[in-house]
Amino acid sequence: MKKLINNPRSVVAESLEGFGQAHHDLVEIHLDPDYVLRRGLPVEGKVGLVSGGGSGHEPLHSGYVGRGMLTAAVPGAVFTSPTPDQILPAIVKSDSGAGVLLIVKNYTGDVLNFETAAELAGVEGIDVRTVVVNDDVAVEDSTYTAGRRGVAGTVLLERIAGGAADRGDDLGKVAEIAERVNANVRSMGVALAPCTVPHAGEPSFTLAENEIEMGVGIHGEPGRHRLEMTNADSITDQLMEPVLSDLGIASGDRVLLFVNGMGGTPLSELYIVYRRAARILEERGARVERSLVGNYITALEMQGASVTVLRLDDELTDLWDSPVNTPALRWGV
Amino acid sequence: MKKLINNPRSVVAESLEGFGQAHHDLVEIHLDPDYVLRRGLPVEGKVGLVSGGGSGHEPLHSGYVGRGMLTAAVPGAVFTSPTPDQILPAIVKSDSGAGVLLIVKNYTGDVLNFETAAELAGVEGIDVRTVVVNDDVAVEDSTYTAGRRGVAGTVLLERIAGGAADRGDDLGKVAEIAERVNANVRSMGVALAPCTVPHAGEPSFTLAENEIEMGVGIHGEPGRHRLEMTNADSITDQLMEPVLSDLGIASGDRVLLFVNGMGGTPLSELYIVYRRAARILEERGARVERSLVGNYITALEMQGASVTVLRLDDELTDLWDSPVNTPALRWGV
C-alpha cells in the first residue's frame, strides 16, 4: 500500500500543519499537544463545542472547526483516542464563560479520555456537558465499543448543535438539541475494500475479491456479516432497512438523507446509493427535505459507504440551514 | 474491483439521477440526452457557461453547476466525450441572449464535439465563444490529446469565469477572464494506484507495488516517467518544479495553491502535500493567498494527487471570492 506520507509517525502532525496553513483564515493549529481551534476565540457569550477522536476520518473533526460548528477539535493518532492532556486545553480555550459541550463518539477510549478531561475542566470552574453519539445500528458492542458506535450521525450533530451555539443558546439548550439529534439519527455502513493504518503497514482486515462487510465500523471493525458482493441497490436496501426500522420512520416523517463515502469510493457511486435510498424513503411516505452526499467521515482510503437518516423537525431544519463556515462545510456566509 | 453500481452501462444515468435528487434546489437533470442545467434558467442578461467531458471526474463538471460557476454541464460516458447532440441543447438552454462561453478541457474528442455543437448553436443565432483549458505541464501530446491536457486548472477557471458572468460581464470580458486564468495556471499529477472504468472491468493501467506514475493524466494516461515510490515531500518537489518553472513563478507573485485528490487518496495525505507545496512557494518568495484542498477533479477511485498553481491578480482574486452556490463549491450565499 503506497501512501503520500513522509513517515508513518509524523502523518498526523504534518497533515495538521498543512491543514492549518490551507485554512489559516478559519483555524489555528496547536501542536504537541495537538488540537485545532477556531480563529478569534473566545466567542463572547457563546457556548463552546469541542469534539475529537482518532485521526483517519478526515475531514472529521478538524474540518468542522469554525462558525456554526465546532470551537475546537482534538485529533488523536490514527484510529486512536486523543489523551486528556490534549483535550483539556482545547476545552479551556473554547470556554468564553458560557460553558462547553463535548461531542464524543461512543468508543471506550474516547469516552474515558473526554470524561477525564471534563473532570479536570470542572475543577478549573468550567461548566462542561457531554453528549455521546451512538448512531450506528449495525452492532451492539464492538471491537472498541460498549454499546453502539458513533459514526456519520456525528457530522450532522456537530452542525446542528453548532448552529444552536451560534444563535446564542445556553449550554442546557445546546445539549438538549444535541441529544435530540442523537435520538433521531441512525446510520449503517458497508466496506468493499479495507484501509491501511500508516504505522501498521498492513490492511486492517481482509476481504475476498467477491466479499463485502455489511455493517462495518469506521475503523474497519467487523459488522453484522460478510456477504457476497451484490449490486448497489441491493446493498442500499440492506443498509436502509435496519436504519429505518430502528428509527421507526413512518409516513409523513421529514428527514435528512446523508450518504457518506468512506474515502476510496467515487462520488458517482455515492449518488447511485443516494438514488436508491431516496426511493426507499419515498416509498415509506417520508419526505427527504435535506441531503448531504460526499466524504464527510472516512476511514482513510477504505472503499465503502454509509447511509444516515436524521428525522427532522422545524428547529433542527432551521439549525441545519443556519450559517456555517468551516473548511469542510460552508454555507450562508 | 468491487463497485457500488448496478450495471456498468447505467452508471452515468443512475448517478445523475441521484445527483439531481440530492441537489434539486440547485440543478435540473435532463436524461437522454444527458445534461445538467442550473435551476431557474434563463438568468436574464448574464452570459451562460457550459462545460462537460467524460464522466468519472466527479464532482467535475456537474457538481459545479449553479450561481457563480456553470450554467450547464454535459457528462459523457465514463472517460468519453459527450456528443454534439448532448452539448447543443445545453448551450441553447444556457443562452439568455447574452451568449455562451464553452469551457473545454483539451482532449481531441471534447474539442471536436464542442466545436461541432458551437457551430450548430451559431446557426441558431447564439453567440458562442470557446476557451480550451490546457494546464497540465506533464506532457505535450498524450493518449487523447494534441498539445497539453486540461486538468485541475479547469475547476479554478470555471469558478472565476463563473464569477465574471455572475457580476454581469459581457461575453468578450468573460472569455478574456477565462483566457487569463488559463494563461496563469499550471498543474501536474501523480498516480500511486490505477482506477477501473466500470464497463472495462480491469484497471486502466498497472503499477508495480513500489512504482508510481509521475505526470499521470486524469484518465490514467501515461505521464513523464515511472519511478520508484518515494516519500510525499520528494513527490511534491517533483510535481511543483515543472509547474513553477513553466509558470515562471517569481518572488512577490501571489498565487492560489490547489492540491487535488484523484479520488482514492485520504484528505490527510493531500494536506501533507499541501504543506510541502506551500513551503516551496514560500521559499521562492511567492505568497499563497488562496487555497483549495480536496477531491475536486478525480479519476474514479485512482490513488494519487495533483498540484495546481494559479497566479492571481486583484481581479481574479475578487472573482474567486465572489458568491458561488453549487453542489460542490459553495460560499458567500
Side-chain angles (χ1 to χ4, degrees), chain A residues 181-203:
Chain A
V181 172
N182 190 50
N184 285 285
V185 69
R186 299 290 188 281
S187 302
M188 183 150 148
V190 64
L192 277 59
C195 58
T196 299
V197 174
H199 62 259
E202 293 293 327

Side-chain angles (χ1 to χ4, degrees), chain B residues 174-255:
Chain B
V174 175
E176 183 270 312
I177 295 273
E179 293 292 359
R180 202 195 311 165
V181 172
N182 191 50
N184 285 286
V185 69
R186 300 288 189 281
S187 303
M188 185 150 147
V190 63
L192 277 60
C195 58
T196 299
V197 174
H199 62 259
E202 293 292 328
S204 49
F205 62 105
T206 52
L207 282 171
E209 184 45 48
N210 200 29
E211 198 179 39
I212 61 178
E213 178 82 43
M214 188 59 70
V216 73
I218 55 171
H219 311 89
E221 313 94 291
R224 291 188 166 194
H225 51 271
R226 290 183 171 198
L227 63 156
E228 207 175 304
M229 180 62 189
T230 175
N231 64 39
D233 284 357
S234 166
I235 290 172
T236 305
D237 292 351
Q238 293 178 65
L239 294 174
M240 287 291 281
E241 198 287 317
V243 165
L244 298 184
S245 297
D246 201 275
L247 205 47
I249 286 292
S251 185
D253 278 348
R254 299 146 55 195
V255 303

Side-chain angles (χ1 to χ4, degrees), chain B residues 33 35 74 81-91 109-121:
Chain B
Y35 53 91
V74 191
S81 297
T83 55
D85 69 296
Q86 278 180 268
I87 303 167
L88 180 61
I91 297 175
D110 288 353
V111 170
L112 210 67
N113 290 345
F114 272 88
E115 204 169 78
T116 304
E119 278 166 22
L120 295 169

Side-chain angles (χ1 to χ4, degrees), chain B residues 106-109 139-147 149 217 219-223:
Chain B
N106 189 34
Y107 298 97
T108 310
V139 288
E140 288 295 335
D141 302 340
S142 170
T143 316
Y144 311 107
T145 331
R149 302 173 298 212
H219 311 89
E221 313 94 291

Side-chain angles (χ1 to χ4, degrees), chain A residues 107-157:
Chain A
Y107 299 97
T108 310
D110 288 352
V111 170
L112 210 67
N113 290 345
F114 273 89
E115 205 168 79
T116 305
E119 278 166 22
L120 296 169
V123 171
E124 297 196 23
I126 298 173
D127 198 3
V128 178
R129 294 277 296 269
T130 298
V131 56
V132 175
V133 193
N134 60 349
D135 57 313
D136 189 341
V137 299
V139 287
E140 288 295 335
D141 302 341
S142 171
T143 316
Y144 310 108
T145 330
R148 290 180 167 186
R149 303 174 296 214
V151 289
T154 313
V155 178
L156 309 184
L157 190 149

Side-chain angles (χ1 to χ4, degrees), chain B residues 42-326:
Chain B
V43 186
E44 288 306 336
K46 304 280 173 82
V47 169
L49 260 69
V50 177
S51 192
S55 291
H57 307 300
E58 290 70 25
L60 187 89
H61 297 271
S62 304
Y64 302 131
V65 172
R67 180 184 166 196
M69 223 161 162
L70 299 179
T71 318
V74 191
V78 174
F79 293 178
T80 305
S81 297
T83 55
D85 69 296
Q86 278 180 268
I87 303 167
L88 180 61
I91 297 175
V92 171
K93 293 191 176 160
S94 295
D95 184 38
S96 70
V100 175
L101 179 70
L102 306 184
I103 299 171
V104 183
K105 300 195 299 303
N106 189 34
Y107 298 97
T108 310
D110 288 353
V111 170
L112 210 67
N113 290 345
F114 272 88
E115 204 169 78
T116 304
E119 278 166 22
L120 295 169
V123 171
E124 298 196 24
I126 299 172
D127 198 3
V128 178
R129 294 277 295 269
T130 298
V131 57
V132 175
V133 194
N134 60 350
D135 57 314
D136 189 342
V137 300
V139 288
E140 288 295 335
D141 302 340
S142 170
T143 316
Y144 311 107
T145 331
R148 290 179 167 185
R149 302 173 298 212
V151 290
T154 313
V155 177
L156 310 183
L157 190 149
E158 292 181 355
R159 163 72 277 255
I160 290 172
D166 190 53
R167 76 176 176 187
D169 288 359
D170 66 21
L171 182 57
K173 176 68 178 171
V174 175
E176 183 270 312
I177 295 273
E179 293 292 359
R180 202 195 311 165
V181 172
N182 191 50
N184 285 286
V185 69
R186 300 288 189 281
S187 303
M188 185 150 147
V190 63
L192 277 60
C195 58
T196 299
V197 174
H199 62 259
E202 293 292 328
S204 49
F205 62 105
T206 52
L207 282 171
E209 184 45 48
N210 200 29
E211 198 179 39
I212 61 178
E213 178 82 43
M214 188 59 70
V216 73
I218 55 171
H219 311 89
E221 313 94 291
R224 291 188 166 194
H225 51 271
R226 290 183 171 198
L227 63 156
E228 207 175 304
M229 180 62 189
T230 175
N231 64 39
D233 284 357
S234 166
I235 290 172
T236 305
D237 292 351
Q238 293 178 65
L239 294 174
M240 287 291 281
E241 198 287 317
V243 165
L244 298 184
S245 297
D246 201 275
L247 205 47
I249 286 292
S251 185
D253 278 348
R254 299 146 55 195
V255 303
L256 184 157
L257 173 57
F258 171 22
V259 175
N260 176 62
M262 295 290 195
T265 288
L267 191 53
S268 49
E269 297 180 22
L270 302 183
Y271 282 115
I272 291 176
V273 172
Y274 183 92
R275 169 182 174 272
R276 179 68 168 196
R279 182 167 303 175
I280 294 168
L281 282 160
E282 198 181 288
E283 282 166 8
R284 290 231 182 178
R287 282 185 292 151
V288 181
E289 298 208 328
R290 295 293 183 276
S291 67
L292 188 68
V293 183
N295 292 307
Y296 290 99
I297 169 171
T298 61
L300 298 164
E301 71 286 347
M302 188 190 283
Q303 286 175 2
S306 61
V307 298
T308 298
V309 176
L310 168 65
R311 186 190 283 111
L312 290 168
D313 58 34
D314 287 342
E315 186 171 37
L316 297 186
T317 307
D318 286 349
L319 290 170
W320 174 259
D321 290 343
S322 71
V324 58
N325 193 15
T326 73

